[in-house]
Amino acid sequence: MDIRTYFAQGAPLLFDGAMGTYFASQPGRAEERCERACLTRPEEILHIHRAYLEAGCRAIKTNTFSVSADLADGMDETARDIVDAACRLALQAAASYGAYVFADLGPAPLDRSRTPAEVYQTQAQWFLDLGVTHFVAETLSDDEGIREFAHWLKKQCPEAFLMVSFAVGHDGLTRAGRLGGDLYRRTAQITEVDAVGFNCVSGPHHLLEYIKTLELSGKPLAVMPNAGYPTVLGRRTVFQGQPDYFAGQMVQIVRAGASIVGGCCGTTPEHIAQTAQALEKPLPKACPAAPEKRPKLTMDVSNSLWEKLEAGKHVITVELDPPADDNSEGFLEDVQALRDAGADTVTIADCPIGRPRADSSLLACKIKRELGMEPLPHLTCRDRNMNATKALLLGLSMEGVHNVLLVTGDPIPTEDRDEVKSVFNFNSRKLARFVSVLNESTLRASMRIYGALNLNARNFEVELRRAQEKEECGVTGFLTQPVLSAEALDNLKLAHATLQGKILGGIFPVVSHRNACFLNNEIAGMRVCDEIVALYEGKDRDAAEDLAVTISTRIAKEIFPYTDGFYLMTPFRRVALMERIIKNIQR
């Protein structure tokens, strides 16, 4: 029966459960990659397919979830071999049950030589060549490449059926920080996508509650939750959700509007068998209910930095490195001195050059609470996963800190990399989008998002394009690298003409000839022109500081028409020098 005819009859389509976790639960298989087993242990994979079919499912997925990652890494031969074997096994298993076979496309990694659309298209062509025309792109955290892939697929095979499924947590967010509801709506609007839904990460209860909040599109809704949440026993990760509970929840999910159901991580043939039995019983008629709107609480807060920027006033922000120990007295004294000199805000680096220092966000809360000054903490992508990032942002908001500067973060020093690992769940654009989602869904007062802009980039067109992408992700202002050359000034003028966000122009007071040479040779993103370098030759400390004040004041005047404020960077904790510069540029 054609799958579209099947859906027209109104009966839910029951899929299989989790190939990966079920295979891993077998003796001696925990460390083995289940997709590779299509080649090395085909009889075991065939047996698992048949176990789910015998349990009562009407559709199975090919054992190819990780092939997208293989292709993204350039392992085409391995990927093709797995697809060939997996298709043969799935088609063989499904034939005697009259079940549908879906080509399983796992998420395509980003930032590789192949785009996600190319990854999906390459393997989809292999599936089409083998006679498989039903596809599920599952466990996605964003919709990168889906629109292009859907268009391509229906051109190649108009009768193809494409289902797209996103992985959301109980808060409705994906691992990429996207709102599941937004992804659902965007994807359902793609004509060539036939069904949309959710799988993995969440257990059945949370996915049931989540789909109740959605305005359904009219296309088949797919819901394939995990069997509850994992726990670690010894060295094994196991799911303890019971099949009877899972089946009862799946009945409720169908009543809530799902027409495609099945299981993800932890679901066994027994979960599917009990679900099949439960769905055979007449389902009570459910009155269609309006989505359960959960209004987001809001509160009015003062954000003096943003208020001044919005009012068109030039602001002054000064960067201070956090202490390397637990003594904050000197740091707070410096902040107070800068505030008294006329600085509007202090911005605090987040473990600069990858070395541990006092936490920038905790210091920001301390500044806000004890000095009443508006802080701007840096938040890097280097040291926190999504959970830690969200927790930190919630804490900042509670403490009245509503400005953050999002940066990738300096790499961990080479000598530390064996023991200290970077995280990088995000790049700065994804992190901005994640904070924007929290602004919409969770935070009672919006967090103003700032990004970095490198005016000294070798290819500034690429840098400017990235800045525009940051704006699309929610960035409302930029702090630039220092203007210490004619090229940087020209790039600032171009940025001013191109970007919508507020621009705080970078000013770094060079304090010696040695300092200028060091910046040019050892600090990424810095460029001191030869003319300025030459001015420092032979100068002692006092003369060099006087020169730094003169040059910084001149630069401030030059960049004033193209900025909304100044971003001063403090060298070597020379706060008295910064006070002189602040007083000069305020005249």
Side-chain angles (χ1 to χ4, degrees), residues 188-328:
Q189 289 168 1
I190 301 173
T191 305
E192 295 87 352
V193 171
D194 298 286
V196 190
F198 305 94
N199 75 292
C200 206
V201 179
S202 292
H205 171 75
H206 284 129
L207 275 188
L208 170 61
E209 294 304 308
Y210 182 63
I211 65 172
K212 288 178 181 179
T213 69
L214 301 176
E215 187 173 338
L216 301 184
S217 68
K219 290 185 176 180
L221 171 66
V223 181
M224 301 186 194
N226 289 348
Y229 293 89
T231 187
V232 176
L233 294 178
R235 304 178 81 179
R236 294 188 307 125
T237 300
V238 298
F239 290 80
Q240 296 180 321
Q242 295 302 303
D244 57 343
Y245 173 82
F246 182 86
Q249 292 294 293
M250 296 313 292
V251 169
Q252 297 304 315
I253 284 172
V254 170
R255 291 190 67 205
S259 50
I260 301 172
V261 292
C264 206
C265 297
T267 51
T268 66
E270 184 59 26
H271 288 81
I272 299 305
Q274 295 211 25
T275 300
Q277 293 169 16
L279 292 176
E280 284 177 358
K281 302 172 185 175
L283 298 179
K285 293 289 182 183
C287 299
E292 297 178 7
K293 299 294 183 184
R294 299 173 183 171
K296 183 174 80 79
L297 297 176
T298 60
M299 65 177 178
D300 292 327
V301 297
S302 173
N303 185 339
S304 60
L305 174 61
W306 185 252
E307 289 164 6
K308 287 181 180 180
L309 286 168
E310 283 284 84
K313 299 177 181 177
H314 245 63
V315 302
I316 297 175
T317 182
V318 184
E319 179 173 303
L320 283 178
D321 282 345
D325 56 25
D326 64 348
N327 184 358
S328 65

Side-chain angles (χ1 to χ4, degrees), residues 4 19 27 45 55 57 62 75 95 117 120 125 162 210 229 244 273 280 282 351 360 398 423 447 477 510 578:
R4 293 174 178 84
M19 171 67 74
I45 300 303
C57 73
T62 59
M75 300 169 60
Y120 297 139
Q125 186 61 63
L162 175 60
Y210 182 63
Y229 293 89
D244 57 343
E280 284 177 358
C351 293
S360 58
M398 289 176 187
V423 177
M447 191 74 66
V510 178
M578 306 311 289

